[in-house]
Amino acid sequence: MSIHQLAVESASDHRPLIITLFSVFVAATLGITVWAGRQTKDATDFYAGGRSFSGFQNGLAISGDYMSAASFLGIAGAIALTGYDGFLYSIGFLVAWLVALLLVAEPLRNTGRYTMGDVLAYRMRQRPVRTAAGVSTIVVSIFYLLAQMAGAGVLVSLLLGITNEAGKILIVVLVGVVMILYVSIGGMKGTTWVQMVKAVMLIAGALLMTFLVLLKFDFNVSELLGEAAKNSKMGHAFLEPGLKYGATGTTKLDFISLGLALVLGTAGLPHILIRFYTVPTAKAARKSVNWAIGIIGVFYLMTIALGFGAAALLDKKTITDSNPAGNTAAPLLADELGGPVLLAVISAVAFATILAVVAGLTLASSSSFAHDLYANVIRKGEATQEEEIKAARWATVGIGIVAIVLGVFARDLNVAGLVALAFAVAASANLPTILYSLFWKRFTTQGALWSIYGGLASSVFLVLFSPVVSGNPKSSMFKDVDFHWFPLENPGLISIPLGFLLGWVGSLLSKEKPDNAKYAELEVRSLTGYGAH
Amino acid sequence: MDTAPASDRPGDQRQQEHPPYAEVQASAEFGELRRAHRSFAFPLTIAFVSWYLLYVLLSNYAGGFMDTKVAGNINVALVFGLGQFLTTFLIAWWYSRHAAAKLDPRSAAIKSSMGSDA
């Protein structure tokens, strides 16, 4: 009998404990949500939590928003199965924060109100650019949601031993419903508090597991790595780059593509960007990024212990039998370290992780739908605050349903790989426009539209014809068909430079002159904070 | 500390609906603020992205070097990866120090010279 079956069985024995922990978390966070909902009176409360959070609180919430199922389940699994190559995720996800800190967080806080579209459309013709920003926000968030729902699905089927399709669908529906409640009732205030609670839980859980792993090896990291290498049966290759990406010239290109997407994606993720609006000033936004870098950095350092710990202490077959992409390595490791009680606790943490991130993503997409598409494009700025918030609440329900439907697919994809696709789309469609808007005088509406739609279309198109969607009988979304011709799993290598290039060419070829007065306004406000909302 | 005198901007402009953004943008004080930000953030961004890409490329194409043992089972690749963590923390700290010393005073002075928010 494999450990996986043991885990499922012991988990089944402790099903009451697991269900109690899940219920306590859901009940507590829903309580917070209702409390936050009572305090949500106007649009600034709903979209930006009244801009009342401190730098530290927001830093914690950013960490809770950012450390997703990909960071916890995905990276641990990727390292457990492919050794050193999985570690790239940790590094890229962290270094990326410097782009946000140095170039984006403060100017964005100074010039926008509620959404990424506020800044993208600032100097431009409002309706076309807001439409583009709204579409890209929703597409990026849905890619990201897909990864979280995949994580939720595998986690719950591992824990509750649910193997039939109906049971899994039921769980995904439950996650969707809780998330809709968080966002539609609590708005940004509720979501922020849920993310803070989750960040504390995740850090505590990871610290505990890291401690237990290191304890097994007398706090000797070298010994841990040695045992991981030995147990993986791949020897030192396990600790060296190239196990996953070193096979051929194509996989090496894929590694560069992934690396590029990770480092440039963060500062273009709408659900991260809107977090900067929840603090009163640009200085507080800077402080919150610094806190986030500290918290996230420590967490990613711990993924080394979690991933190599899983490789050292678990049989590889156990991990892949449970989930081919390794997504359950962290909970299986918890079971190995502390038995079913720790398994239940860590699973509750993972569940909290997923719920908090999913809430942030849903909020970003429904805010953008209501503020960019509904209020500014459809109603041309004539909608009242009440109408706008109402639209946001309905959009939440809509996005929730989309997430539920998508969550039923894509269970066998590594969630870190899936999230990397969201990063690639964000880096291709959003980052060029954000940077050009803030720093390049000659950027025009046409440049913005070419860059957003070009980056978006090329990245999504390439993913569609990549091995992620079809052609790989083991890991593709559709296993039985093969219509792939693009060899890389991550499109970033092509689509990110293309997004930047299109923004530049589109601006130079544009008949319309850049709006110098508007650029003066944006530049002065972005650097001084004058007139910030 | 570099504080522009408040008298640079006549008080009557506070009554205007739109502050004279173009004028502020063209002012020497704003030029200094912009330069203080760009001359720090742009080269540093190029530097850390290159440093990171160097790590990615070495992982891909310099296997022999990355596989070199440093101590026990710890190899150059791992040290390089941990180095990325260290430089990220250091750059974040360095930028914040730069911003507090060179950017915040300048932007506060320009902001107050523009009068209260509309």
Side-chain angles (χ1 to χ4, degrees):
Chain A
M1 192 186 301
S2 74
I3 298 182
H4 166 54
Q5 286 162 314
L6 281 174
V8 169
E9 282 188 9
S10 61
S12 306
D13 295 341
H14 287 73
R15 227 182 256 184
L17 176 65
I18 295 171
I19 292 174
T20 308
L21 284 174
F22 279 19
S23 314
V24 167
F25 177 78
V26 170
T29 46
L30 283 178
I32 294 172
T33 302
V34 170
W35 166 81
R38 290 225 181 100
Q39 295 188 323
T40 298
K41 295 189 176 65
D42 59 14
T44 306
D45 290 331
F46 186 86
Y47 290 126
R51 311 196 197 287
S52 58
F53 290 96
S54 72
F56 172 68
Q57 286 176 319
N58 191 38
L60 205 53
I62 289 175
S63 313
D65 203 10
Y66 192 67
M67 296 182 295
S68 67
S71 303
F72 187 46
L73 304 175
I75 295 178
I79 296 180
L81 294 183
T82 61
Y84 187 84
D85 278 4
F87 187 41
L88 171 76
Y89 284 107
S90 297
I91 295 168
F93 279 150
L94 179 69
V95 174
W97 274 99
L98 291 176
V99 182
L101 176 68
L102 267 61
L103 301 176
V104 178
E106 296 172 56
L108 185 96
R109 172 63 195 85
N110 276 336
T111 50
R113 278 168 81 100
Y114 305 135
T115 62
M116 179 181 78
D118 287 340
V119 177
L120 299 195
Y122 198 100
R123 302 156 56 184
M124 309 301 170
R125 277 183 283 125
Q126 290 290 309
R127 295 184 69 194
V129 178
R130 285 229 184 240
T131 308
V135 168
S136 133
T137 296
I138 292 168
V139 172
V140 171
S141 300
I142 282 178
F143 262 99
Y144 217 109
L145 266 174
L146 185 66
Q148 309 306 314
M149 295 310 251
V154 296
L155 188 67
V156 170
S157 34
L158 166 74
L159 282 174
L160 302 178
I162 296 172
T163 42
N164 63 330
E165 285 304 309
K168 285 179 191 168
I169 291 170
L170 181 73
I171 295 300
V172 170
V173 171
L174 276 176
V175 170
V177 169
V178 173
M179 150 197 123
I180 290 170
L181 290 176
Y182 282 156
V183 176
S184 60
I185 299 173
M188 181 54 108
K189 265 195 187 150
T191 304
T192 303
W193 280 104
V194 171
Q195 288 169 343
M196 283 194 265
V197 171
K198 164 266 171 104
V200 172
M201 286 173 66
L202 181 59
I203 291 288
L207 274 173
L208 177 65
M209 281 179 71
T210 302
F211 177 79
L212 291 173
V213 167
L214 291 177
L215 193 65
K216 289 226 172 208
F217 296 93
D218 295 322
F219 294 90
N220 184 336
V221 177
S222 171
E223 211 172 290
L224 163 65
L225 295 174
E227 184 60 29
K230 203 177 112 206
N231 198 39
S232 71
K233 301 193 175 59
M234 285 174 266
H236 278 284
F238 194 70
L239 305 177
E240 292 158 4
L243 204 55
K244 170 152 193 219
Y245 293 103
T248 66
T250 310
T251 56
K252 285 183 177 178
L253 284 182
D254 215 355
F255 188 72
I256 300 176
S257 196
L258 174 68
L260 211 56
L262 296 182
V263 80
L264 297 178
T266 299
L269 291 173
H271 73 292
I272 295 299
L273 297 176
I274 61 169
R275 290 231 51 87
F276 299 137
Y277 296 133
T278 65
V279 291
T281 61
K283 249 197 236 181
R286 182 195 310 151
K287 208 175 271 175
S288 53
V289 178
N290 278 324
W291 274 110
I293 288 178
I295 296 167
I296 292 167
V298 168
F299 176 81
Y300 286 142
L301 281 175
M302 294 193 286
T303 59
I304 303 175
L306 301 182
F308 285 110
L313 299 170
L314 302 170
D315 199 32
K316 186 179 171 190
K317 197 166 174 309
T318 309
I319 301 172
T320 48
D321 278 354
S322 170
N323 179 274
N327 293 328
T328 50
L332 290 173
L333 177 65
D335 189 51
E336 174 74 24
L337 291 168
V341 176
L342 190 63
L343 170 66
V345 170
I346 291 304
S347 307
V349 168
F351 194 62
T353 288
I354 290 170
L355 277 177
V357 174
V358 160
L361 291 164
T362 310
L363 182 66
S365 16
S366 53
S367 293
S368 182
F369 176 83
H371 184 63
D372 294 326
L373 297 180
Y374 173 76
N376 281 298
V377 176
I378 299 173
R379 299 286 305 271
K380 299 174 194 165
E382 305 277 303
T384 65
Q385 281 199 13
E386 287 75 27
E387 286 173 322
E388 218 180 298
I389 297 176
K390 203 169 152 193
R393 292 197 158 117
W394 278 111
T396 304
V397 177
I399 303 278
I401 292 170
V402 172
I404 289 168
V405 172
L406 289 174
V408 177
F409 296 100
R411 265 194 311 274
D412 294 340
L413 295 169
N414 181 289
V415 291
L418 272 180
V419 159
L421 297 183
F423 273 68
V425 181
S428 316
N430 299 344
L431 188 70
T433 315
I434 293 172
L435 294 182
Y436 285 141
S437 278
L438 289 172
F439 300 112
W440 189 36
K441 204 159 92 181
R442 296 174 61 189
F443 196 44
T444 67
T445 296
Q446 179 174 302
L449 294 176
W450 282 25
S451 168
I452 298 176
Y453 285 126
L456 191 66
S458 61
S459 51
V460 173
F461 184 76
L462 291 177
V463 168
L464 203 61
F465 294 101
S466 78
V468 172
V469 172
S470 75
N472 187 330
K474 267 161 103 180
S475 66
S476 290
M477 205 175 286
F478 301 104
K479 294 179 178 58
D480 307 329
V481 281
D482 183 1
F483 49 86
H484 95 283
W485 50 259
F486 184 65
L488 307 183
E489 289 187 2
N490 194 294
L493 192 60
I494 309 281
S495 62
I496 297 170
L498 190 67
F500 277 98
L501 184 72
L502 285 172
W504 181 63
V505 173
S507 296
L508 293 186
L509 294 183
S510 137
K511 285 179 198 125
E512 190 179 21
K513 286 222 163 66
D515 188 338
N516 287 329
K518 266 290 187 193
Y519 182 60
E521 184 179 330
L522 175 82
E523 197 184 20
V524 169
R525 288 186 48 179
S526 74
L527 280 174
T528 63
Y530 181 86
H533 292 282
Chain B
M1 199 166 78
D2 187 340
T3 341
S7 56
D8 272 7
R9 307 267 153 246
D12 60 4
Q13 289 187 342
R14 296 174 190 195
Q15 308 306 320
Q16 290 183 357
E17 262 190 57
H18 292 293
Y21 287 117
E23 212 175 287
V24 176
Q25 188 194 32
S27 71
E29 290 84 357
F30 189 79
E32 268 179 38
L33 171 64
R34 172 172 40 206
R35 197 161 46 244
H37 177 252
R38 292 193 174 193
S39 67
F40 189 89
F42 288 8
L44 198 55
T45 301
I46 292 169
F48 77 72
V49 171
S50 313
W51 168 235
Y52 168 80
L53 288 179
L54 176 71
Y55 150 78
V56 172
L57 293 176
L58 284 179
S59 297
N60 254 350
Y61 304 108
F65 168 67
M66 295 295 260
D67 303 347
T68 313
K69 291 272 171 59
V70 176
N73 292 308
I74 294 165
N75 54 17
V76 171
L78 189 70
V79 173
F80 220 113
L82 295 176
Q84 295 283 331
F85 278 74
L86 186 69
T87 50
T88 302
F89 293 140
L90 284 177
I91 290 170
W93 169 78
W94 190 24
Y95 169 74
S96 303
R97 220 182 57 142
H98 171 81
K102 309 278 180 189
L103 305 182
D104 293 346
R106 287 192 170 96
S107 68
I110 296 169
K111 190 181 171 191
S112 71
S113 75
M114 289 171 71
S116 60
D117 289 1

